[in-house]
Amino acid sequence: MDGARARPEGGGQRARILLAVLCSGLAGLMHEVIASKLLAPLVGASAHAQAVVLGTFMLGLALGAVFFGRRVDRSARPLRLFLALELGVALYALLLPLLVGLAGAAYVALAGAAGIAEASVALRLLPRLLLASVLLLPPTFLMGGTLPVLSRHLVGSAGGTRRTVGGLYALNSLGAVLGAGLAGLWALPALGVQGALFLTAGLNLLAAALVFGLRGEQPASGGGEEEEPPPAAAAPLEARRRRAALLALGASGFVALFAELVFLRIFALAFGSSTFSFTVMLMCFVAGISLGAGLVTRLAVRDPFRVFGIGQLVLVLSLLAAAPAVSRLGYWGGLARIALGESAAGFELFQLFEAALGLGLLLVPTACLGLTFPLVSGILVRRVEGAGRGVGLAYAWNTGGNLLGVALGSLVLLPGLGLGGSYHLILVVAALTGAALLGLSSVGTPGKLAALALLLAGGGLHLALDRDFADPLRLARGHLRLSEPVDPKAPAAERLRHPSTSFERWREHFVARPGTPDVVFLEEDAHQVVLVSERAGNRTLFLNTKPDASSHVDLDTQLLLAHGPLFLHPGARRVMVIGHGSGVTAGAALLHPVEAVEIVEISPAVIRADAAFAGANGGVLSDPRVRVVIDDAQSHLRLGEERYDLVISEPTNPWVAGVAALFTRDFFEAVRARLAPGGAFALWLQTYEQSDENAALVLRTLAAVFPRIEVFVDHDLSNLVVIGSAEPLRPTAAELEASFARPGVAADLARMQLPGLLAFLSHHRLSTGELAALLPEGPINTLGRERLEWDAPRRQFQQESSTLFERLDPLLAGRRATPELLLDRYLAARAAQGRPLSFEEVERTLGYARRLPAQHRPLSAALAARLR
């Protein structure tokens, strides 16, 4: 470094600055997670909306890095500027809920007036981008300045751009790792959104407090990169090499975020799409980046282009080597579930197992990504006076690449190329970047040829050993479980030794390959992998390997979701169905005298898969009364103005990340606000993979919004159709008979093996205006405290089954049934009209009850007492 060096920071002062960097990085990732939670009800949880939020976050960081990087070079006291930035972020965070409320109210009013809810997906993104920009650009703009500002201070006081920036970036990334874990694994579950936000603001205040009072004066001159000073300290780098370094850094940033998206989906396929799975994977990814940034501070770098280029080629080779393991992740996840399922701490150990696999696969490639920003900062910065600008410029290019990776990756490349194609695109971009950098480095021709030969050999070996790499990522059946011959009740050790747990057996049973007879439909859209497969005449829709709907197996639930509420509310004319699935529910609704059915589905691939179920749903999408909206239900409900007589919600299971929001009081209130007078809301709720506490939580939450509750059950009590309304739904006997007599209705219900109206009415098992009094006391589920999202994955892993409703059901519990039940009211009406039941009606209904599974056996006696 030319010129007089500044006196190094004292040990205690430097330690306080570094701790401030750690706190700032920790808070930054938490801000991102919490902001996404706060904005989700308005912008939605779709991939497009989340890309807007994350992209806006990255844009603010990039703009802030450039602005404050230049500004700090003119500042005599960078630490004061850092303190002001952290205080600004903390203050904004505390105001964010209020600002979201105000901006959200204006957004809803303007979007409603402009008819945004009726617009195309692209047009709906524009106001969401505006909303995200208004709310997120100010704090992210401030956050983007923190690293360049501190880099300027430490480069001037301690020297060494690459080592200084590498150390700061490593600490900042380590803070992000801790922030992801703190937010996703503790703060949000334990404190809720508001509590987590206060904690995050407190971390920004702590970062500010740590630098308060420290000396921040800068020397008049000095150098940046001690390992390789230029011939003259003031001479600029050759323009072509600087541009090449920035372009390579942008490409590396693109690869980093795109690879993160790809691996998040890969691990979701193997380990489930819960919030815990996403959190663990995010922590693994950022941990490697932190390691790489720390590693670069220990290297003696004489040619940064060579190190950068070699790092990119090592990244390619490590991902090639990881491909066979990637293909087996689902298999290993299934084994881990068997091995750990009986342990009291099995869920926690399962997350640790996922983390270990994630680190094993990603530590080397992400460490190579972590090298890049410090190396380019060292290339750009040669004088202290330009340290802030150089670091800010490097940070902006890196973050700009991240933004491109988010936008192109999630919205274009993943849907267009699929996981396999996306994985290979990452390899190609990294290989080209590495080759270009080696071309600018001091590596001789033999070395460059050797690197090329190594890449070609690695690619050839990859193709030879794992030719169908893309296919094993597309798991087909038996969500996260091994093949059918394994007895789930057998001890874990016995199941692990079973021949069907071999990899080849698993591959045969659970890996879908396009072109095989049982693969009816297969597509990857921006949200998930959507597959329809057929076995033994049953077609099943899988979303990220999870079976979500079918043509036969799930018929009871799918049919009851439509027929149950429409028998109770025969006057319903306008219906909204949230979640298309197989389309059977919407098709059943059209058999009633409805005038319009609006289907709100977040995944366009699910709509395209509908043709595979046309025989089961009656060709629902070809009906002129049907309108399809591709959007998230939360934002669509808040933006539109149309009123509905009936809203049916049948999303996927609440342990899937983001879905629990559709089981909150906030969502139920949004539904009620869109119901016409006398309208009703029907909610699907499963009892399998569910605890009594969570079942009670959902029912309590629904009862807090809808005073009247009706419940239908399927044939084995594993699914409930819970119907809420403001007023009692009391159809007359004549209306019930008229509904059953409508063309197609009786035939549709016959698919449930129902022999007549009485058998259908026997599935109505609860009718009360005081459901809360029947439930144990406890909290309710809100967006501010989504208890279900954090607890449901644990119950799914433990394979719990709730028996709460069996204790609430007056028939199964052996209590005297209330006259509110449809069957009792219908029988009373028949008696009052002098129309006794015929022998045939009674025998058909009792015969049906006797054929039901064991859980329903008390029903036979209860029905016999009523019918005879």
Side-chain angles (χ1 to χ4, degrees):
M1 194 167 114
D2 289 347
R5 285 188 184 271
R7 180 169 56 84
E9 299 277 3
Q13 180 165 326
R14 186 176 178 84
R16 286 173 61 180
I17 293 174
L18 295 181
L19 184 57
V21 173
L22 183 69
C23 291
S24 180
L26 200 158
L29 205 288
M30 293 183 70
H31 281 301
E32 181 184 323
V33 173
I34 294 169
S36 296
K37 283 282 184 186
L38 285 170
L39 288 174
L42 294 171
V43 302
S46 69
H48 302 84
Q50 291 304 302
V52 164
V53 172
L54 185 54
T56 305
F57 208 91
M58 295 295 178
L59 178 62
L61 293 176
L63 294 175
V66 172
F67 177 83
F68 289 107
R70 292 177 175 176
R71 183 178 179 85
V72 74
D73 285 334
R74 301 192 298 270
S75 172
R77 297 186 174 183
L79 290 185
R80 288 191 177 181
L81 182 55
F82 174 82
L83 186 149
L85 292 175
E86 292 295 324
L87 289 177
V89 173
L91 177 61
Y92 194 91
L94 295 175
L95 294 174
L96 187 58
L98 175 62
L99 296 175
V100 168
L102 294 174
Y107 168 68
V108 169
L110 292 174
I116 293 298
E118 311 299 320
S120 66
V121 174
L123 287 177
R124 288 199 299 271
L125 281 180
L126 292 177
R128 295 175 190 186
L129 177 60
L130 178 63
L131 176 68
S133 300
V134 167
L135 292 171
L136 294 183
L137 282 180
T140 54
F141 183 73
L142 299 178
M143 291 179 206
T146 56
L147 191 62
V149 166
L150 281 185
S151 296
R152 171 68 172 90
H153 172 77
L154 289 180
V155 168
S157 62
T161 302
R162 175 177 51 78
R163 288 182 176 172
T164 299
V165 174
L168 291 176
Y169 191 55
L171 269 177
N172 193 264
S173 299
L174 178 60
V177 175
L178 299 176
L182 186 62
L185 303 179
W186 180 76
L188 285 169
L191 305 177
V193 172
Q194 192 70 52
L197 196 59
F198 280 125
L199 175 61
T200 308
L203 288 167
N204 290 118
L205 293 174
L206 177 58
L210 285 166
V211 302
F212 181 74
L214 297 183
R215 298 190 306 276
E217 294 81 0
Q218 291 296 299
S221 64
E225 185 59 72
E226 67 271 29
E227 285 90 356
E228 190 189 359
L237 285 175
E238 193 268 321
R240 185 171 63 90
R241 289 166 62 84
R242 289 170 60 93
R243 287 196 299 270
L246 288 173
L247 286 171
L249 183 59
S252 177
F254 167 81
V255 165
L257 254 292
F258 188 31
E260 182 180 315
L261 293 175
V262 168
F263 274 95
L264 282 172
R265 179 168 291 188
I266 288 172
F267 272 72
L269 290 172
F271 293 92
S273 302
S274 73
T275 299
F276 290 96
S277 180
F278 287 120
T279 300
V280 168
M281 269 309 303
L282 181 61
M283 293 175 69
C284 291
F285 209 92
V286 182
I289 291 176
S290 176
L291 176 66
L295 180 63
V296 82
T297 67
R298 304 294 181 183
L299 297 176
V301 178
R302 297 193 178 279
D303 184 351
F305 284 92
R306 178 173 58 185
V307 176
F308 193 168
I310 291 173
Q312 293 295 293
L313 300 186
V314 171
L315 182 154
V316 172
L317 291 172
S318 62
L319 288 180
L320 285 171
V326 168
S327 301
R328 288 160 173 77
L329 283 176
Y331 171 65
W332 292 338
L335 291 180
R337 283 180 175 270
I338 292 176
L340 302 174
E342 298 175 357
S343 170
F347 181 74
E348 290 76 13
L349 293 173
F350 186 71
Q351 308 308 317
L352 289 175
F353 176 74
E354 180 183 359
L357 280 179
L359 287 173
L361 290 174
L362 295 174
L363 199 60
V364 172
T366 53
C368 293
L369 291 169
L371 298 171
T372 59
F373 172 64
L375 285 171
V376 175
S377 296
I379 292 171
L380 296 179
V381 177
R382 296 299 180 179
R383 295 182 302 159
V384 167
E385 290 82 356
R389 181 181 182 279
V391 173
L393 187 63
Y395 191 77
W397 273 84
N398 187 54
T399 308
N402 293 160
L403 193 159
L404 195 62
V406 168
L408 276 181
S410 63
L411 304 182
V412 178
L413 297 176
L414 260 176
L417 300 176
L419 280 173
S422 297
Y423 197 94
H424 290 110
L425 178 62
I426 289 167
L427 298 177
V428 170
V429 173
L432 291 176
T433 303
L437 289 165
L438 287 183
L440 294 171
S441 73
S442 60
V443 176
T445 300
K448 294 171 184 175
L449 291 175
L452 177 61
L454 189 61
L455 280 177
L456 291 175
L461 189 63
H462 162 65
L463 293 175
L465 295 179
D466 211 12
R467 290 187 300 274
D468 59 348
F469 166 73
D471 293 342
L473 298 177
R474 303 162 186 213
L475 315 181
R477 310 178 194 88
H479 169 58
L480 304 177
R481 299 171 181 83
L482 296 180
S483 51
E484 292 87 340
V486 181
D487 182 1
K489 297 181 181 178
E494 179 182 333
R495 283 182 283 160
L496 289 172
R497 290 194 301 268
H498 196 281
S500 67
T501 60
S502 69
F503 175 67
E504 289 306 318
R505 182 72 171 169
W506 173 85
R507 187 185 181 92
E508 176 188 345
H509 275 257
F510 301 117
V511 175
R513 294 179 180 82
T516 55
D518 63 340
V519 176
V520 180
F521 177 90
L522 179 60
E523 184 178 323
E524 298 180 42
D525 66 11
H527 303 85
Q528 58 206 342
V529 178
V530 178
L531 181 141
V532 179
S533 71
E534 183 172 347
R535 174 173 287 186
N538 180 60
R539 290 189 173 183
T540 304
L541 175 75
F542 294 89
L543 306 181
N544 274 359
T545 79
K546 178 195 170 299
D548 220 63
S550 65
S551 59
H552 292 88
V553 173
D554 300 300
L555 267 180
D556 281 24
T557 307
Q558 295 167 156
L559 293 173
L560 284 173
L561 268 164
H563 291 300
L566 285 167
F567 267 77
L568 282 168
H569 187 15
R573 295 296 178 265
R574 304 194 67 81
V575 178
M576 173 191 281
V577 178
I578 298 171
H580 185 59
S582 64
V584 169
T585 297
L590 290 170
L591 297 174
H592 295 263
V594 300
E595 296 172 358
V597 172
E598 184 174 86
I599 298 170
V600 181
E601 171 56 54
I602 198 170
S603 171
V606 170
I607 297 299
R608 288 191 284 271
D610 175 82
F613 295 98
N617 64 35
V620 59
L621 296 187
S622 63
D623 193 299
R625 293 173 291 171
V626 172
R627 173 175 176 263
V628 176
V629 176
I630 302 297
D631 202 356
D632 175 79
Q634 295 185 81
S635 57
H636 182 69
L637 277 168
R638 287 172 169 84
L639 294 181
E641 296 181 341
E642 185 175 349
R643 298 282 176 166
Y644 303 93
D645 301 303
L646 173 64
V647 174
I648 300 172
S649 181
E650 50 174 339
T652 190
N653 299 61
W655 61 264
V656 175
V659 176
L662 303 185
F663 294 82
T664 60
R665 179 181 63 188
D666 311 70
F667 181 71
F668 297 157
E669 288 174 343
V671 171
R672 181 168 176 174
R674 296 290 298 281
L675 289 177
F681 172 56
L683 173 71
W684 166 77
L685 176 65
Q686 93 279 12
T687 61
Y688 59 91
E689 299 177 346
Q690 186 79 278
S691 67
D692 284 348
E693 292 79 7
N694 286 341
L697 173 69
V698 175
L699 292 173
R700 228 181 355 253
T701 303
L702 188 67
V705 177
F706 293 97
R708 298 291 310 186
I709 299 294
E710 312 282 339
V711 181
F712 283 81
V713 302
D714 68 355
H715 72 282
D716 62 358
L717 300 181
S718 60
N719 298 276
L720 310 179
V721 177
V722 189
I723 302 161
S725 62
E727 303 296 333
L729 301 173
R730 300 182 65 87
T732 65
E735 287 175 324
L736 292 173
E737 291 173 343
S739 293
F740 192 78
R742 294 190 189 283
V745 170
D748 208 37
L749 290 172
R751 294 195 286 171
M752 293 175 57
Q753 310 303 315
L754 295 174
L757 176 60
L758 294 177
F760 169 74
L761 297 181
S762 72
H763 283 268
H764 180 241
R765 304 293 266 280
L766 195 66
S767 178
T768 177
E770 300 179 348
L771 178 62
L774 302 177
L775 298 170
E777 293 186 3
I780 60 176
N781 198 40
T782 67
L783 285 176
R785 190 72 181 275
E786 288 186 54
R787 291 171 167 84
L788 188 62
E789 178 165 9
W790 309 107
D791 195 55
R794 184 183 302 274
R795 307 306 174 185
Q796 186 268 340
F797 177 84
Q798 294 169 341
Q799 295 292 289
E800 289 191 34
S801 291
S802 172
T803 60
L804 173 69
F805 189 75
E806 294 179 39
R807 300 193 296 276
L808 294 178
D809 187 329
L811 299 183
L812 298 184
R815 296 195 305 271
R816 182 180 180 84
T818 68
E820 295 295 315
L821 294 183
L822 285 179
L823 179 62
D824 289 333
R825 295 211 308 266
Y826 179 71
L827 293 175
R830 287 278 297 264
Q833 295 167 5
R835 293 192 297 135
L837 299 179
S838 68
F839 176 80
E840 184 180 1
E841 285 180 288
V842 172
E843 287 305 307
R844 281 204 313 263
T845 307
L846 291 179
Y848 167 74
R850 286 191 290 268
R851 292 191 301 270
L852 290 173
Q855 299 97 314
H856 278 268
R857 283 176 186 163
L859 177 63
S860 299
L863 282 178
R866 283 163 172 74
L867 301 180
R868 291 174 175 167

